[in-house]
Amino acid sequence: AGALLVALGRRSLGAVLEELLRQIQPGILPRAGTLRTLGTLATGNVFGMVPFLSSILGTLLPMLPMARTDSMKSAFCY
C-alpha cells in the first residue's frame, strides 16, 4: 500500500499528503508503515515536500520520546 501511495504521490502529491497527514495526529504515535511511506514519498518528490516540512516536523518532533521500540525508532529516522 505504501508503494502505491508513493507512485500516486508523484502525480498528485497534495491528495496523498492529505491522506497521510490525516493518519498522523498530535499526541498519538502513528504506525511505522505510515512514517516509512511518508519518508519514501519525501525521497521521491523532494521539491514537492518542502512546503509541508514545517507542519510535518512540528507534528512529529514532539512524538520522538514516545518511540520506544526499535521499529518505531527506525521509522522515525527514515
Side-chain angles (χ1 to χ4, degrees):
L4 178 62
L5 284 174
V6 171
L8 289 172
R10 290 187 181 143
R11 295 271 189 211
S12 58
L13 181 66
V16 172
L17 268 179
E18 182 181 331
E19 290 300 319
L20 278 175
L21 292 177
R22 207 177 284 169
Q23 300 296 320
I24 300 173
Q25 299 173 0
I28 301 172
L29 201 61
R31 289 192 265 170
T34 304
L35 292 175
R36 286 197 178 111
T37 302
L38 191 60
T40 306
L41 185 62
T43 304
N45 194 347
V46 176
F47 295 112
M49 289 290 288
V50 170
F52 301 100
L53 282 180
S54 62
S55 64
I56 292 170
L57 290 176
T59 305
L60 290 179
L61 285 178
M63 289 187 227
L64 282 175
M66 294 176 12
R68 304 227 187 268
T69 63
D70 287 338
S71 63
M72 282 306 293
K73 289 177 184 177
S74 172
F76 268 103
C77 289
Y78 188 73

